[in-house]
Amino acid sequence: MSTVNTVGFGAGPLSRAAALLHTLLTVEALFLATAAPGLAGLMALGPDPANLPLAAVCLTPLAPAASAALYALHHRSRDLTDLHPARAFARGLRLNALPALRLWTPLSAWLTVIAFTLTHFAATGLPLWWAVLLGAVGAACLLWGAHALVLTSLFTFRARDTARLAAYFLLRRRSVTLSAASLLVLAAAVTAAFTEALTALLAAPLLLSLLRSSRPVIAETREEFTA
């Protein structure tokens, strides 16, 4: 007598794929809605380097939006019958908006100073190696910010503890850092080749990729730094 194995509704590969697609589309829509004021202002600005401080202000809503998106993607269900991405996004926004801003605001200000200096470097009279050093510092700060964003979105630490952990993982988990670097390069390339609007439309899959590549960081943080 043969036995036929069946997969319940909501547990098969097609259902999981549909659940992922539904979650990505919902999270993307909520991300865009949350970041809309800043994105609208950013697209209205011209490419003049003098607009860099205004661009930094426009980018401020992206930190809470990205943090809420990471939270929702991390807590997503793989069961088509049990999907609540909007609820998870709202919870992530409520929990993480202020912690994300506490880290993002000084980082954004520092990156603005670096970008403004590099775009006006000829007027500084400094040697070229200073520009290379500033570029390297800016890149390291962006990668630190990627680690800090993941940690802020998924764990409840004080801002200074999150900052220290992000710096620790920057070298401790070099493969994760390299993955974050590749995503940043991809986002920058899409923005340069097309428009920042396309990068914003790809925010959910980019953040999901960041989340998946950060699994070693998440696991070590859970095992070593939480009770």
Side-chain angles (χ1 to χ4, degrees), residues 205-218:
L206 287 172
L207 289 170
L208 180 62
S209 297
L210 175 63
L211 185 65
R212 287 181 169 174
S213 67
S214 298
R215 283 172 179 169
V217 168
I218 297 168

Side-chain angles (χ1 to χ4, degrees), residues 73-89:
L73 291 170
H74 180 70
H75 292 89
R76 70 183 180 89
S77 173
R78 291 162 176 78
D79 186 345
L80 190 58
T81 63
D82 186 31
L83 298 179
H84 305 286
R87 184 187 305 171
F89 186 96

Side-chain angles (χ1 to χ4, degrees), residues 67-144:
S67 184
L70 282 171
Y71 182 92
L73 291 170
H74 180 70
H75 292 89
R76 70 183 180 89
S77 173
R78 291 162 176 78
D79 186 345
L80 190 58
T81 63
D82 186 31
L83 298 179
H84 305 286
R87 184 187 305 171
F89 186 96
R91 177 174 172 78
L93 188 62
R94 185 174 68 253
L95 292 175
N96 299 329
L98 287 179
L101 285 173
R102 288 192 189 103
L103 292 168
W104 173 258
T105 302
L107 174 62
S108 178
W110 175 234
L111 290 174
T112 301
V113 170
I114 291 177
F116 193 85
T117 303
L118 289 175
T119 54
H120 296 80
F121 193 75
T124 65
L126 294 171
L128 182 60
W129 64 268
W130 267 100
V132 176
L133 179 61
L134 281 174
V137 170
C141 289
L142 279 173
L143 295 173
W144 172 88

Side-chain angles (χ1 to χ4, degrees), residues 4-29:
V4 178
N5 293 324
T6 60
V7 178
F9 179 76
L14 289 179
S15 293
R16 291 196 298 271
L20 175 60
L21 180 60
H22 172 80
T23 299
L24 285 173
L25 291 175
T26 303
V27 168
E28 179 66 38

